[in-house]
Amino acid sequence: MNNETLATVYHGIIIHSLDIGNLEFIRNGLLAVHPDGHIAFLERDVGQLVKEHLFIIFSYSQVVTLSEHQFLIPGFIDTHAHAPQYVYAGTGLDLPLLNWLSTYTFPRESAFSSPTYALDVYKRVISRFLRNGTTTCAWFATIHLEATKLLVDVIRANGQRAFVGKVNMDTCGPDYYVEKIDDSVESTRDFIQYVLDSEPDTSKSSNSSNTAKPTRLVTPIITPRFAVSCTAPLLDSLSTLASEHDLPIQSHLSENPSECELVQSLFPHCRDYTSVYDHYKLLTPRTIMAHGIHLSSEEIAILRDRGTGISHCPNSNFALQSGVCDVRRLLNAGVKVGLGTDVAGGYAPSILDAVRQAMTASKACKIQYLARAEERVERDPDYNVLTIPEVFYLATMGGAKLLNLEDVVGNFVPGKEFDALLVDVGVADGPIDVFDHDTTESLFEKFLYLGDERSLRAVWVKGRRVAGSSNSDEF
């Protein structure tokens, strides 16, 4: 029998989020992946079955038995990153946002007018993110049409699931890096058509009731850089494009106090930063807004009512001195939240770093909350820092919900697609030391705090292995 036609059954420890506070540890589970990449079944507590018995019971399947210190988790979802900025990640973090953009970002992004340069960079960044376990990413590109098309090509060739946006900006940029409004709109329309035509979405034409409906690997996403860099006519045109093609939208919101003040001066007819996007009908259930640090209660209510979510990028928020986002406040208000690396405002191309920094940011909010309790009109006596189950949820299912992929990926519910990571906390020369007293729970937590790409033996997207520290299928 041809092995390529066989389903694969993984036998061992499986960890995933059922809900934001419900992290499930399956210590002796069976997870079957159909050849088309969707999850056929998930069985819990199957007993001490050995590999030979599994072959008898599931005679149609290949069986992978995980070792003692290995476990499966869903792939990480990065809800906000800038692919071209990877070239200077880890440098230039000595300035606040607006100065940083003019000093570092715009000069480096302008170099992507060269397709040759763009192709080299994009091959490296996509490979790096996949090795770090990012199976889905929402990418900002640059204003350059051809380079952004190349980013799509590289993503598809490497097998990552992605949302890709050609950046739009027609004002408040340097002369060498700004668009004319008509050019911006037309090149965006061209880009949308390129992505849609080169990878048709067959989900609506799937007639099979026994298999999951296939989904698009790369989705175009409307990407006004931020309100500062877009005139009102451009924002209005981009809203129309999103509506015409039923596309998601991504931008930045309330990242830096100076930015917020500048937006207010540019759009005096709007009450606040959030109202600018709302005025131009850019806040939808498919909109991702990065940061959301300095939001008023009224702005949070608008986001909740529109179904718009926030990409929490704690590394970048610290690095660019922007502030600390109170994620607990957003969650309590019913706003969707996922995690983002925001490379290169954030210096680490790993959602594991975002998990760690999110925990630190939450603790900082708690400390600040307690210190200012006397000043607060409404004090929440149950205000707590984010927990490990909650932050892992944000890195997986939370990101899936923010990208409206909760029915496709994010956990291991049967019928979803198999985007997954094989974690090995006992890998030789790895970052984690295992001791006799360690439990499954403690090793999982150690991975979140100490693990890196060496700990990821395999990375799968849609059931296809796309990266991993193991050089073979023997894990």
Side-chain angles (χ1 to χ4, degrees):
M1 185 178 292
N2 185 350
N3 286 341
E4 292 183 358
T5 66
L6 298 175
T8 301
V9 175
Y10 296 93
H11 174 218
I13 298 171
I14 300 164
I15 304 170
H16 67 159
S17 294
L18 297 177
D19 204 345
I20 189 165
N22 189 358
L23 180 61
E24 183 178 29
F25 289 83
I26 304 171
R27 286 171 175 77
N28 201 12
L30 295 177
L31 190 154
V33 181
H34 194 272
D36 69 4
H38 83 275
I39 298 169
F41 64 79
L42 174 62
E43 296 292 335
R44 297 163 173 82
D45 304 321
V46 296
Q48 297 302 315
L49 295 177
V50 297
K51 192 171 184 178
E52 291 78 10
H53 291 162
L54 287 173
F55 271 123
I56 294 171
I57 296 171
F58 302 105
S59 58
Y60 60 90
S61 302
Q62 305 175 77
V63 178
V64 176
T65 300
L66 308 187
S67 69
E68 179 184 7
H69 298 135
Q70 294 180 337
F71 49 83
L72 283 176
I73 63 173
F76 292 137
I77 298 176
D78 190 337
T79 58
H80 181 69
H82 296 260
Q85 294 180 15
Y86 177 67
V87 297
Y88 64 95
T91 65
L93 297 174
D94 54 341
L95 296 173
L97 175 66
L98 297 180
N99 304 87
W100 177 78
L101 287 171
S102 59
T103 304
Y104 299 108
T105 300
F106 296 151
R108 283 272 39 98
E109 288 194 10
S110 68
F112 284 75
S113 60
S114 165
T116 302
Y117 176 76
L119 183 61
D120 175 61
V121 172
Y122 287 153
K123 284 180 178 179
R124 297 196 207 185
V125 65
I126 299 306
S127 175
R128 176 67 67 181
F129 272 65
L130 282 171
R131 294 201 305 271
N132 277 280
T134 298
T135 53
T136 299
C137 191
W139 292 109
F140 278 59
T142 64
I143 65 174
H144 309 103
L145 174 60
E146 294 308 315
T148 307
K149 290 179 179 179
L150 284 174
L151 176 57
V152 171
D153 296 342
V154 170
I155 289 170
R156 286 186 178 141
N158 283 270
Q160 189 182 56
R161 189 187 304 274
F163 293 74
V164 179
K166 191 209 80 69
V167 168
N168 301 100
M169 47 186 293
D170 69 334
T171 188
C172 293
D175 291 341
Y176 62 83
Y177 195 59
V178 71
E179 306 170 288
K180 294 181 179 178
I181 182 171
D182 290 343
D183 293 339
S184 182
V185 174
E186 287 310 307
S187 61
T188 301
R189 190 183 300 277
D190 187 333
F191 173 71
I192 292 168
Q193 212 58 52
Y194 176 79
V195 179
L196 297 182
D197 289 349
S198 56
E199 187 186 352
D201 185 358
T202 57
S203 62
K204 296 180 181 179
S205 62
S206 175
N207 296 318
S208 173
S209 59
N210 298 319
T211 61
K213 293 181 179 180
T215 57
R216 188 187 303 280
L217 193 66
V218 179
T219 300
I221 183 168
I222 299 299
T223 307
R225 180 171 217 115
F226 62 157
V228 170
S229 67
C230 298
T231 61
L234 179 56
L235 292 175
D236 194 51
S237 296
L238 294 176
S239 173
T240 299
L241 276 178
S243 178
E244 284 178 0
H245 297 276
D246 188 25
L247 292 178
I249 299 165
Q250 63 180 354
S251 193
H252 299 83
L253 171 65
S254 193
E255 179 177 359
N256 174 278
S258 296
E259 169 207 18
C260 295
E261 293 173 5
L262 181 55
V263 169
Q264 199 69 66
S265 69
L266 294 171
F267 297 90
H269 57 288
C270 295
R271 182 183 62 189
D272 47 47
Y273 200 161
T274 302
S275 297
V276 173
Y277 293 121
D278 195 38
H279 179 80
Y280 294 101
K281 297 180 174 57
L282 289 163
L283 298 183
T284 76
R286 301 188 70 190
T287 299
I288 309 156
M289 285 291 167
H291 305 293
I293 302 171
H294 308 284
L295 296 171
S296 67
S297 298
E298 291 78 13
E299 288 178 283
I300 292 175
I302 291 173
L303 295 175
R304 179 198 61 222
D305 293 346
R306 302 295 181 267
T308 296
I310 294 291
S311 174
H312 178 41
C313 307
N315 185 315
S316 175
N317 296 344
F318 286 130
L320 295 178
Q321 312 156 55
S322 296
V324 185
C325 179
D326 190 343
V327 172
R328 176 67 68 198
R329 181 181 178 219
L330 295 173
L331 293 175
N332 286 350
V335 175
K336 296 182 294 186
V337 180
L339 294 182
T341 58
D342 194 23
V343 166
Y347 51 77
S350 170
I351 286 295
L352 279 175
D353 174 83
V355 164
R356 297 159 192 167
Q357 303 255 12
M359 293 294 292
T360 300
S362 183
K363 292 170 185 176
C365 287
K366 174 76 170 186
I367 293 168
Q368 184 181 46
Y369 183 89
L370 292 176
R372 299 177 59 187
E374 297 302 323
E375 303 173 22
R376 297 180 67 88
V377 176
E378 297 179 5
R379 182 178 179 183
D380 179 3
D382 298 321
Y383 186 99
N384 291 311
V385 300
L386 296 174
T387 64
I388 288 292
E390 287 175 321
V391 176
F392 183 70
Y393 171 90
L394 297 182
T396 54
M397 270 303 296
K401 286 191 174 182
L402 187 54
L403 297 175
N404 287 273
L405 291 175
E406 66 269 31
D407 294 331
V408 180
V409 293
N411 61 17
F412 295 132
V413 171
K416 292 190 178 184
E417 294 178 2
F418 187 66
D419 287 13
L421 311 177
L422 176 58
V423 178
D424 190 342
V425 293
V427 65
D429 298 321
I432 301 170
D433 287 316
V434 178
F435 297 93
D436 290 342
H437 66 264
D438 276 315
T439 63
T440 299
E441 288 82 359
S442 70
L443 290 176
F444 172 72
E445 192 166 350
K446 280 186 174 183
F447 165 69
L448 293 183
Y449 276 103
L450 304 173
D452 59 28
E453 62 186 78
R454 290 169 293 174
S455 309
L456 301 179
R457 300 291 282 171
V459 178
W460 294 275
V461 175
K462 277 190 167 185
R464 171 193 171 193
R465 188 178 175 199
V466 295
S469 61
S470 174
N471 293 322
S472 70
D473 289 332
E474 295 298 323
F475 306 122

